[in-house]
Amino acid sequence: MSIPAILISTIFVNNYVLARFLGICPFLGVSNKMETSAGMGVAVTFVVTLSSIITYFIQKGILDLLGLQYLQTIVFILVIAALVQFVELVLKKISPSLYNALGVYLPLITTNCVVLGVAILNIQEGYDLVRTIFNSLGSSIGFTLALILMAGIREKLEIADIPEVLKGFPIALITAGLMSIAFLGFGGLV
């Protein structure tokens, strides 16, 4: 698959949140405000891209050579956890307000299935290092796009006249479903 096709596919067609339904917890939990969504998107982009690069080298240089492929998930989770701790320390130092706004969702990047899913799918698809990097960037951009779109809609919904029974989480789920349907329109691009 070509690099432009990988980018279009991961951002629009096979968006990890809206088409593969990975990363729903932070998608619904952090998408209340645009600033928080953008910050989470940047943090996830950093972690996904760097963890995919590191796990690629670990898979090819250690696990495959020693026949230890069965340790893939455990090793990948350890790499992701270490990177999330690094991001947490950096955000706490550089942007305490964003660190506080992300709250519990920042450490949850460790268990965000998008991060692990991208790393594992890069290996399963047989991507080389360059395609791994672009698949990781594209999936992160797609995740960030979904977060920011959802945050924009939810900010508008706060001032909309919505029936009481739909306020909060129910309207967020309906919105996510409608966004998923909208992204199905990109299905024929790749």
Side-chain angles (χ1 to χ4, degrees):
M1 189 179 265
S2 69
I3 290 172
I6 288 173
L7 288 173
I8 290 170
S9 175
T10 54
I11 294 171
F12 299 110
V13 180
N14 294 314
N15 184 292
Y16 277 76
V17 177
L18 300 173
R20 296 182 186 227
F21 303 109
L22 295 175
I24 298 296
C25 178
F27 174 69
L28 292 172
V30 178
S31 62
N32 290 326
K33 301 205 180 316
M34 291 285 269
E35 306 85 41
T36 310
S37 295
M40 176 60 98
V42 170
V44 167
T45 299
F46 177 78
V47 171
V48 166
T49 305
L50 198 54
S51 67
S52 291
I53 293 168
I54 293 170
T55 56
Y56 174 84
F57 285 117
I58 290 172
Q59 181 74 35
K60 299 296 181 192
I62 298 171
L63 299 179
D64 286 349
L65 288 177
L66 300 176
L68 300 172
Q69 292 89 346
Y70 60 90
L71 292 175
Q72 181 188 60
T73 304
I74 294 169
V75 171
F76 286 14
I77 289 172
L78 290 173
V79 168
I80 292 165
L83 284 171
V84 169
Q85 289 298 311
F86 175 72
V87 168
E88 229 180 315
L89 290 172
V90 169
L91 275 181
K92 194 173 188 178
K93 198 70 151 171
I94 293 175
S95 180
S97 61
L98 179 58
Y99 174 80
N100 291 330
L102 290 174
V104 71
Y105 293 101
L106 188 57
L108 284 178
I109 294 175
T110 303
T111 58
N112 185 344
C113 48
V114 167
V115 182
L116 182 60
V118 171
I120 290 175
L121 286 172
N122 283 335
I123 301 299
Q124 286 180 351
E125 292 292 327
Y127 289 148
D128 60 5
L129 181 60
V130 173
R131 283 177 175 69
T132 293
I133 292 169
F134 280 99
N135 187 57
S136 303
L137 280 173
S139 61
S140 302
I141 292 167
F143 179 80
T144 304
L145 176 67
L147 271 178
I148 290 173
L149 288 173
M150 183 67 158
I153 293 169
R154 286 178 84 176
E155 284 182 357
K156 298 289 184 194
L157 287 173
E158 285 182 16
I159 57 173
D161 187 28
I162 299 171
E164 195 63 37
V165 296
L166 292 178
K167 286 187 179 178
F169 198 65
I171 197 69
L173 289 175
I174 292 169
T175 303
L178 292 173
M179 286 176 62
S180 293
I181 291 170
F183 269 67
L184 282 175
F186 294 117
L189 288 176
V190 181

